[in-house]
Amino acid sequence: MAVCLDIKGLTKRFGGFFALNELDMEVTTGNIHALIGPNGAGKTTFFNLLTGLLAADEGAIMFEGRPLGEARPSRRTARGIARTFQNIRLFPHLTALETVMIGEHCRAYASTWHALGSAVLRRPFGEGGVERRMRKNAMELLSLLGLAAHANERASNLSYGDQRKLEIARALATQPRLLLLDEPGAGLNPNETAALDETITRIRDRGITVVLIEHDMNLVMGISDRVTVLNFGTKIAEGTPGEVQAHPAVLEAYLGEDVKP
Amino acid sequence: MLHDLFDGYTRSILVFTGVNVLAAYSFYLPFKTGQVSLGQAGFMAIGAYASAVLTQKFGVPFAAALPVAAVVAGMMGVLVGFPALRIKGIYLLLLTLGFAEIVQVITLSWDFVGGAQGFRQIPFIPSILEYVVALIIVLVLFFARLERSSLGRAMDAVHQDETAAEVMGLDVVRIKLLAFGLGAAIAGLAGALYAHHATYIDSNSFNIMVGVEILMFVIIGGSSTYWGPLLGAGFLTLLPEFLRTLRDWLELVPVAWTDFFPMNRVYDFLHDALDFENAKRLIVYGIIIMVMMILRPDGLLTRDSLRRLTMPRGA
């Protein structure tokens, strides 16, 4: 099995507080790998380190066999890592379609100069071929997420659940090989969660490795190939959903040490 | 050709209006990526002095000096743009303000460019109005294309959430530098055109208040569409002229009416206050800004209002 992500000794401190402490982790290509743990366990910090929003204090991240180093977030996206945000971060004034097309920009244009050239030198009327292709791909992604009907609505006018889906569509538009989903199920009703389950599986079936932060245990245990449990920045357990659920350290972290089965 | 259409006075008004429109566009482009600059007057000064020095001291023809002025101002823009990448909002405002102040002090104390006496005898270019109009047309076409392009959309995204934009693969550094640099270049053009029409510039020609006025053009005209800067700068620069014409018409109104309600005196005040050579116009700008922030915080013209104008109802 090919290794998508290989993380060694990843440490992030905020002052004296260890948000992540010597985390070792391997994510196998093509897996859905869940990352769970109580609030403040360091899960989102982990995503921020992977996408380059934060710099690690120690440790190394290898993505598809090559170190990520200190590359800026946009370079990492270009290399194939995409994410969604736990606290939704859409572009409020763009429509759903435009939002997804933002994700495609980095694939459609090799550099900002190309983008400028295309903006200025394009034929006087109508859209160029690149733009038309972007629009078409974006519509396909919106359909995949069930948002086609809302294509021309502003992102800020969509319902909470649809905004979460739009985040996934925008991330997919960057054509990632690794997708990081930060609590995609938060605030969804049971129907929407069931649909999300199917969506994530379908994304995996497209050959995209998924790392999933999620509190909804039914969702996590149902679709994950592997689960890593964090508590206070340290990995306390790892394994298949079944193994993790029975792990004493996990029960302790979630339920407290007095409650032993 | 345009030159012969208008008398000297009208031509002068039109040139200054055009220069203000260009200056407004120089603010609009970096603003599209969320960068608010109060320093556009500084870039205007750089363009103006660069072109003045080249033409007057080195005998370079104006047609060649103008693009050089734009390039010099644009390169300064990229230099200032680098520290501008790291700071936002009020701090960026202060940085750009500081930059304009530095330019002003340098032009005041550098004798090569006239120092406190100012730069005199800049070659007058009779066809300046043609240059101004041509550049505005080019810019409007440029912005029309930018707005419908992927890069324009990317700039909007950077404006709305820089972090999310970067994580979605947009090269925020280049996009912001490009916008800031091109904006500075446009300001350089505006400054050069101003210099060759006025034929005299000094450090005070491009003072801090000029930067503030440029910002007002865009805020009042509307900053969400590229027609906003054109409307705002055009409206505010031409307003006193409209008022003057209205005032002439008022002479025809029977005196008994104007005694009852002295419209002519209101117009006299407004015209006086809005006159371009009169600092009192800033009072009126201030009032307009306050009213606008309450009634139309997004400016006179917005993307939505444009959509409503151009699309049939219900579309």
Side-chain angles (χ1 to χ4, degrees):
Chain A
M1 278 289 205
V3 178
C4 177
L5 263 184
D6 187 7
I7 290 139
K8 290 243 158 52
L10 195 64
T11 300
K12 178 69 193 174
R13 286 181 295 265
F14 294 113
F17 172 74
F18 282 82
L20 270 185
N21 192 3
E22 306 254 328
L23 177 73
D24 296 324
M25 189 173 151
E26 244 183 54
V27 176
T28 307
T29 305
N31 267 4
I32 296 176
H33 194 130
L35 193 61
I36 63 170
N39 286 324
K43 305 182 297 287
T44 297
T45 301
F46 176 68
F47 274 14
N48 287 342
L49 291 172
L50 278 180
T51 50
L53 286 179
L54 290 173
D57 291 313
E58 273 154 58
I61 305 168
M62 303 278 277
F63 174 59
E64 295 176 334
R66 279 164 50 219
L68 280 178
E70 311 207 323
R72 279 171 41 216
S74 56
R75 298 304 310 153
R76 297 182 191 214
T77 310
R79 279 185 57 183
I81 301 178
R83 73 173 287 178
T84 65
F85 291 94
Q86 178 187 2
N87 47 338
I88 298 171
R89 294 188 83 152
L90 292 165
F91 310 113
H93 299 298
L94 296 189
T95 66
L97 186 69
E98 288 167 341
T99 304
V100 178
M101 289 168 82
I102 287 293
E104 287 181 272
H105 183 90
C106 68
R107 299 291 168 205
Y109 300 101
S111 78
T112 307
W113 298 114
H114 287 86
L116 179 66
S118 149
V120 176
L121 301 174
R122 173 164 59 80
R123 283 176 299 142
F125 299 104
E127 302 180 321
V130 179
E131 186 81 356
R132 205 176 307 123
R133 219 167 23 242
M134 284 171 80
R135 199 170 288 272
K136 190 168 148 279
N137 290 344
M139 275 313 292
E140 275 172 22
L141 280 173
L142 286 176
S143 306
L144 178 79
L145 273 300
L147 291 172
H150 301 296
N152 292 318
E153 267 175 59
R154 276 193 185 190
S156 53
N157 290 347
L158 296 179
S159 73
Y160 189 74
D162 285 345
Q163 290 192 10
R164 287 222 169 276
K165 289 186 206 160
L166 184 56
E167 278 241 353
I168 298 177
R170 182 179 66 173
L172 285 174
T174 67
Q175 298 175 20
R177 288 186 302 282
L178 172 64
L179 178 63
L180 312 172
L181 297 174
D182 199 345
E183 295 198 25
L188 299 191
N189 66 36
N191 287 335
E192 288 173 322
T193 311
L196 178 67
D197 193 315
E198 204 189 304
T199 306
I200 296 175
T201 316
R202 229 188 290 167
I203 291 170
R204 191 255 321 264
D205 294 343
R206 289 179 152 210
I208 300 170
T209 312
V210 177
V211 177
L212 171 72
I213 295 177
E214 186 50 69
H215 283 299
D216 185 327
M217 285 306 137
N218 288 329
L219 178 69
V220 168
M221 298 305 169
I223 61 172
S224 303
D225 299 300
R226 228 174 150 70
V227 181
T228 299
V229 191
L230 289 183
N231 197 16
F232 297 117
T234 312
K235 180 160 86 175
I236 56 173
E238 191 168 61
T240 63
E243 287 164 10
V244 164
Q245 270 171 310
H247 198 290
V250 176
L251 294 172
E252 192 182 306
Y254 270 90
L255 303 171
E257 49 188 315
D258 287 329
V259 188
K260 293 246 162 91
Chain B
M1 53 192 178
L2 276 175
H3 186 270
D4 305 323
L5 273 177
F6 307 104
D7 61 89
Y9 179 77
T10 314
R11 211 155 51 222
S12 199
I13 298 288
L14 289 177
V15 169
F16 288 131
T17 307
V19 166
N20 283 343
V21 169
L22 291 172
Y25 276 127
S26 87
F27 175 90
Y28 172 76
L29 189 54
F31 186 71
K32 202 166 164 60
T33 64
Q35 303 179 94
V36 183
S37 168
L38 275 179
Q40 297 313 92
F43 296 117
M44 283 178 79
I46 290 174
Y49 276 94
S51 182
V53 166
L54 283 172
T55 50
Q56 198 230 49
K57 294 196 191 268
F58 297 102
V60 177
F62 174 67
L66 186 65
V68 175
V71 169
V72 172
M75 288 192 321
M76 263 324 280
V78 174
L79 277 183
V80 177
F82 267 108
L85 289 170
R86 298 195 152 265
I87 53 177
K88 275 178 213 150
I90 193 94
Y91 303 103
L92 180 57
L93 223 73
L94 286 174
L95 181 137
T96 51
L97 202 67
F99 163 74
E101 189 69 37
I102 290 170
V103 173
Q104 207 187 336
V105 171
I106 290 177
T107 53
L108 180 68
S109 50
W110 192 11
D111 287 334
F112 178 68
V113 295
Q117 264 102 55
F119 202 121
R120 290 159 198 279
Q121 289 168 334
I122 302 166
F124 177 78
I125 306 297
S127 57
I128 206 91
L129 184 58
E130 275 93 333
Y131 278 98
V132 169
V133 170
L135 280 171
I136 290 176
I137 292 173
V138 168
L139 275 185
V140 168
L141 288 176
F142 169 73
F143 281 112
R145 285 171 159 234
L146 186 67
E147 196 134 299
R148 288 189 192 84
S149 74
S150 193
L151 181 63
R153 207 160 41 232
M155 286 179 167
D156 291 341
V158 170
H159 190 161
Q160 290 168 43
D161 190 333
E162 213 174 302
T163 307
E166 171 78 29
V167 171
M168 291 310 132
L170 299 183
D171 192 338
V172 172
V173 169
R174 282 227 194 132
I175 289 173
K176 285 175 77 174
L177 274 181
L178 178 74
F180 206 86
L182 279 182
I186 297 171
L189 289 175
L193 291 166
Y194 174 89
H196 289 273
H197 185 70
T199 70
Y200 167 80
I201 50 174
D202 63 14
S203 63
N204 210 37
S205 309
F206 308 102
N207 62 22
I208 301 298
M209 283 322 292
V210 175
V212 175
E213 270 180 69
I214 293 171
L215 173 129
M216 288 193 189
F217 293 150
V218 180
I219 301 298
I220 290 174
S223 56
S224 65
T225 151
Y226 59 93
W227 293 110
L230 183 75
L231 180 80
F235 174 70
L236 285 179
T237 322
L238 292 175
L239 192 59
E241 302 312 315
F242 287 133
L243 290 174
R244 189 198 306 276
T245 316
L246 272 175
R247 178 72 183 79
D248 293 344
W249 281 93
L250 275 179
E251 297 294 332
L252 303 174
V253 176
V255 179
W257 296 12
T258 48
D259 270 357
F260 177 65
F261 182 70
M263 278 301 280
N264 48 355
R265 262 194 251 156
V266 175
Y267 279 118
D268 281 346
F269 167 76
L270 276 178
H271 176 261
D272 187 33
L274 282 165
D275 190 16
F276 219 72
E277 300 303 320
N278 192 334
K280 264 193 265 171
R281 71 180 181 283
L282 293 171
I283 301 175
V284 177
Y285 284 6
I287 295 169
I288 294 179
I289 285 271
M290 287 201 279
V291 173
M292 292 276 303
M293 286 305 109
I294 297 163
L295 297 179
R296 283 190 78 84
D298 295 327
L300 288 174
L301 210 56
T302 64
R303 239 176 242 194
D304 287 341
S305 58
L306 268 185
R307 213 168 283 158
R308 239 170 290 140
L309 280 173
T310 51
M311 270 191 213
R313 222 156 253 292

